[in-house]
């Protein structure tokens, strides 16, 4: 006769299932099995830093921070506001993004190429103009470069602060180089391949960035009005506070988001560490898969 599961095990299982179903969607278990169980070469071997970063719970904070940072480019923000449907279906957008990251990081090379091709096809249809008449196209390599730069910078910042195993300097450069492979497949030209190049690219975009009403509205939605049940609001609040604290000072100031260094050191970082540790405890890491 099998022993009854302990309360700790059952709580862990329920919490892990709840988080995973929100992030991965109803087909999450099947998608996970296809990604990790399908044999074949992969873009990244088991030792590559991109697997460590993208498989860690710090991505919850890094992903939210990336959305806030990306919103500062008026053309990128206009494209998201007009075409992504994130307000009407925020969980669907999160699930599609997490699936793309999982496939390109852990899936077979064929699956990764196919995922990037699908995204490029969608980007080809996303065109329009900002409220002040600036045209945009989601397939524009320069605009794609901003989205990639902001994302990688945010993911890496989050991992170095909240990840279970932060990278050394060589590992940080290797992570940026890993993500460049995905960026090239999406249509980014000359993506950064080192942390120094990433900082240079971020600085190069600064002159194009500004806050629009859509950006401020998006920040309010993401930080203050997320579509979550009441019980999930406190841990999400810790993630949101961590995401704001992760932003470069100039970005937080532009979005009129408060930055209190003392409070960040005494409250925000410990809470962020606790929440990511809880997520890490509830969700087991993906199974080991073969490398290229």
């Amino acid at each position: 006769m099998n022993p009854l599961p302990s309360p700790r095990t059952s709580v862990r299982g329920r919490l892990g299932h709840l988080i995973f179903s929100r992030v991965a969607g109803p087909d999450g278990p099947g998608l996970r099995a296809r990604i990790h169980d399908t044999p074949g070469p992969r873009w990244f071997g088991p030792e590559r830093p991109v697997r460590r970063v993208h498989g860690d719970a710090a991505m919850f904070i890094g992903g939210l921070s990336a959305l806030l940072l990306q919103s500062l480019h008026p053309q990128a923000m206009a494209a998201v506001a007009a075409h992504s449907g994130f307000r009407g279906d925020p969980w669907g957008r999160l699930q599609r993004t997490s699936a793309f990251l999982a496939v390109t990081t852990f899936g077979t090379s064929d699956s990764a190429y196919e995922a990037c091709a699908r995204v490029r096809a969608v980007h080809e249809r996303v065109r329009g103009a900002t409220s002040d008449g600036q045209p945009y196209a989601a397939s524009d390599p320069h605009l794609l470069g901003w989205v990639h730069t902001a994302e990688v910078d945010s993911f890496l910042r989050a991992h170095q602060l909240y990840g279970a195993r932060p990278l050394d300097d060589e590992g940080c450069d290797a992570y940026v180089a890993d993500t460049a492979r995905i960026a090239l497949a999406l249509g980014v030209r000359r993506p950064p391949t080192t942390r120094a190049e990433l900082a240079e690219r971020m600085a190069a975009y600064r002159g194009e960035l500004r806050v629009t009403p859509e950006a401020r509205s998006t920040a309010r939605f993401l930080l203050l009005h997320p579509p979550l049940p009441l019980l999930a609001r406190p841990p999400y609040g810790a993630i949101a506070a961590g995401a704001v604290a992760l932003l470069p000072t100039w970005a937080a100031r532009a979005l009129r988001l408060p930055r209190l260094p003392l409070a960040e050191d005494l409250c925000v970082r410990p809470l962020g560490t606790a929440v990511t540790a809880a997520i890490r405890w509830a969700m087991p890491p993906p199974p080991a898969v073969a490398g290229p």
Side-chain angles (χ1 to χ4, degrees):
M1 182 175 179
N2 293 328
L4 292 173
S6 69
R8 174 185 171 88
T9 302
S10 61
V11 168
R12 183 179 188 178
R14 289 198 299 270
L15 180 59
H17 174 74
L18 177 62
I19 297 171
F20 185 70
S21 63
R22 282 289 192 177
V23 174
D27 189 40
L31 177 63
R32 183 178 177 128
R34 290 192 296 274
I35 289 172
H36 295 283
D37 296 344
T38 302
R42 276 141 168 98
W43 280 357
F44 309 108
E47 79 290 349
R48 295 307 303 173
V50 68
R51 286 195 178 186
R52 186 192 301 187
V53 174
H54 291 179
D56 190 87
M59 288 286 283
F60 283 78
I61 293 178
L64 182 55
S65 191
L67 293 175
L68 295 170
L69 185 57
Q70 288 166 346
S71 75
L72 289 174
H73 197 295
Q75 290 158 297
M77 184 65 251
V80 169
H83 299 275
S84 76
F86 77 97
R87 286 182 184 272
D89 184 24
W91 291 111
R93 186 169 189 265
L94 172 63
Q95 290 155 11
R96 291 188 294 273
T97 300
S98 66
F100 175 80
L101 287 169
V103 169
T104 52
T105 303
F106 300 101
T108 63
S109 298
D110 287 345
S111 297
Y113 278 120
E114 290 168 4
C116 290
R118 286 194 296 271
V119 171
R120 292 185 72 159
V122 171
H123 285 170
E124 288 294 336
R125 301 193 296 269
V126 176
R127 298 174 180 273
T130 64
S131 58
D132 58 359
Q134 296 181 63
Y136 63 77
S139 59
D140 175 9
H142 183 72
L143 201 57
L144 287 170
W146 163 249
V147 173
H148 172 73
T149 298
E151 183 177 88
V152 173
D153 182 77
S154 298
F155 290 170
L156 187 55
R157 283 173 181 262
H159 188 79
Q160 295 305 95
L161 278 177
Y162 299 105
R165 295 185 297 145
L167 301 168
D168 58 18
D169 289 343
E170 183 179 354
C172 288
D173 284 346
Y175 170 70
V176 178
D178 285 348
T179 61
R181 182 170 190 173
I182 303 171
L184 286 168
L186 287 173
V188 178
R189 294 175 185 163
R190 298 182 300 279
T193 57
T194 67
R195 200 175 191 182
E197 289 179 4
L198 182 67
E200 290 172 1
R201 195 65 53 86
M202 180 72 72
Y205 277 102
R206 283 284 303 276
E208 303 174 31
L209 307 181
R210 62 182 177 83
V211 179
T212 61
E214 292 93 342
R216 290 203 179 98
S217 176
T218 295
R220 287 194 298 271
F221 176 77
L222 292 173
L223 299 176
L224 301 178
H225 306 293
L228 289 169
L230 287 177
L231 286 176
R233 293 294 179 94
Y236 182 84
I239 290 173
V244 172
L246 205 65
L247 289 169
T249 302
W250 54 265
R253 186 181 300 118
L255 287 166
R256 297 178 184 171
L257 299 175
R259 292 291 299 272
L260 302 171
L262 183 59
E264 289 174 7
D265 291 341
L266 295 177
C267 299
V268 173
R269 186 168 179 180
L271 285 172
T273 299
V275 169
T276 51
I279 294 171
R280 204 174 287 121
W281 170 78
M283 297 178 65
V289 293

